[in-house]
Amino acid sequence: MHRALLFNNLALMFTIENELIRAVIQAKGAELTSLYSKANDLEYLWQGDPAYWAKHSPVLFPVVGALKDNTYYYQDKAYHLSRHGFARDNPFAVESHTADTITLLLRSDEETLRVYPFTFELRIKYTLYENSLAVAYSVINTGKEDMYFSLGAHPAFNVPLEKGLAYSDYELVFDKTETAGRWPISKDGLIESAPIPLLQNSHTLPLSKELFHKDAVVLKNLASSIVSLRSGKGAHGLQFDFPGFPYLGIWAAKDADFVCIEPWCGIADSVHTNQQLVEKEGINKLVSCEEFVRTWTVAVH
């Protein structure tokens, strides 16, 4: 493992590739910016058109979604964090880099401690396996006190993937039959108190742009840990594996040609939150020196 190098140039890009696929990751936020199939001559990742949404695949840490009034309380002190936390905007160090894998590192510092009073190491490892990309997250509590955090992914995939197809030609297919409600999001970005029906003894969610006109589809505690993006009219799609993530967000900017598949270990505040970090729904607790690991994988075809 090479000694970590911190790059001040947030726009610096790094490439990993094998015979079948190529991925590009930027130093800012350790964000995946391209997932290209050489075999299919096809870009699968949204390319960040600022007219709709300028990002590609931000890392959500140490919160997922919105906090009520952008504020939480820990040990009787108020702290302020914007939606999805600070990791997505911070420069990561490159800890190791080979032809088909890269590991990036973010450590707590004086700036993060002002808004998040825990010391930590957050590593993100991107690894290519044939036509698949695995994205592994490691959180280590480097402090002496218990640490509380949320973690999530937010990759956006192009829809449609092929010329001549429409957005509505695609569907998301879960690996298990689901009966699950959609948890509405308030105008302030908070989770409402009750779900509304969405999946009724079904494993298929047809895509439409209207589906996201009232923000993301938020699902809790699905039986499935695999969801596929596919079209019966096309040859190309993807399979997305997300074991160990209790929440799933599905989102697109209004009328944009992409869909985000977002596995979360954590969730936005509810409309009834008391804003206490240790009591927050979906919060994860790490004791001193403990490590938390989660991985999602996308296979393209």
Side-chain angles (χ1 to χ4, degrees):
M1 183 177 293
H2 303 296
R3 190 165 78 92
L5 300 175
L6 184 61
F7 294 93
N8 291 322
N9 184 357
L10 296 179
L12 199 59
M13 299 287 189
F14 306 95
T15 300
I16 57 175
E17 60 187 319
N18 60 23
E19 292 183 355
L20 298 178
I21 56 177
R22 179 174 65 240
V24 180
I25 300 97
Q26 67 180 15
K28 180 182 178 182
E31 184 175 359
L32 180 69
T33 62
S34 175
L35 182 60
Y36 175 77
S37 169
K38 300 177 183 181
N40 301 331
D41 188 23
L42 193 61
E43 176 62 64
Y44 283 78
L45 204 70
W46 169 251
Q47 289 303 288
D49 182 349
Y52 296 95
W53 188 58
K55 293 185 178 293
H56 313 267
S57 180
V59 175
L60 316 182
F61 177 88
V63 294
V64 169
L67 298 170
K68 183 178 181 180
D69 300 325
N70 290 331
T71 301
Y72 68 91
Y73 294 88
Y74 178 69
Q75 295 184 343
D76 298 323
K77 183 177 178 180
Y79 294 89
H80 307 289
L81 280 173
S82 59
R83 185 188 300 259
H84 296 323
F86 52 69
R88 60 182 180 162
D89 296 317
N90 277 18
F92 278 63
V94 174
E95 194 170 52
S96 64
H97 187 190
T98 68
D100 60 3
T101 185
I102 187 169
T103 301
L104 299 106
L105 170 63
L106 178 68
R107 286 192 173 103
S108 52
D109 57 24
E110 290 183 3
E111 183 177 344
T112 68
L113 287 168
R114 283 195 289 269
V115 295
Y116 181 66
F118 304 100
T119 59
F120 64 86
E121 293 179 348
L122 170 61
R123 285 177 174 83
I124 305 174
K125 183 178 182 180
Y126 294 91
T127 307
L128 300 179
Y129 304 96
E130 297 182 342
N131 66 326
S132 299
L133 170 68
V135 184
Y137 303 86
S138 163
V139 181
I140 298 176
N141 177 2
T142 58
K144 296 180 180 180
E145 306 293 331
D146 292 343
M147 172 183 170
Y148 297 88
F149 70 97
S150 297
L151 174 73
H154 202 310
F157 300 102
N158 287 322
V159 180
L161 284 165
E162 299 173 55
K163 292 181 180 179
L165 296 187
Y167 196 92
S168 57
D169 290 328
Y170 287 80
E171 60 188 7
L172 292 174
V173 182
F174 296 92
D175 67 308
K176 299 185 185 303
T177 300
E178 301 284 357
T179 296
R182 170 184 185 167
W183 290 82
I185 299 175
S186 75
K187 60 180 177 60
D188 299 318
L190 308 182
I191 304 300
E192 297 283 8
S193 56
I196 56 177
L198 181 68
L199 297 170
Q200 298 292 330
N201 196 33
S202 173
H203 64 276
T204 302
L205 179 63
L207 289 185
S208 69
K209 293 185 175 179
E210 292 76 19
L211 185 64
F212 308 111
H213 282 182
K214 293 184 179 180
D215 212 322
V217 172
V218 176
L219 303 170
K220 298 184 182 184
N221 300 311
L222 293 172
S224 301
S225 61
I226 301 172
V227 63
S228 298
L229 173 66
R230 70 185 190 189
S231 170
K233 298 179 180 180
H236 299 297
L238 59 87
Q239 178 178 300
F240 192 95
D241 291 51
F242 57 103
F245 291 86
Y247 305 96
L248 185 69
I250 306 168
W251 177 77
K254 188 174 181 179
D255 297 329
D257 286 332
F258 69 82
V259 64
C260 289
I261 303 174
E262 306 180 37
W264 301 335
C265 291
I267 193 170
D269 275 350
S270 78
V271 292
H272 301 299
T273 182
N274 63 10
Q275 298 178 273
Q276 298 296 322
L277 184 65
V278 300
E279 299 175 25
K280 179 176 170 58
E281 180 184 355
I283 203 72
N284 301 282
K285 175 184 172 181
L286 271 180
V287 302
S288 179
C289 299
E290 189 176 27
E291 182 181 19
F292 176 99
V293 177
R294 290 292 187 276
T295 301
W296 60 265
T297 304
V298 57
V300 300
H301 62 81

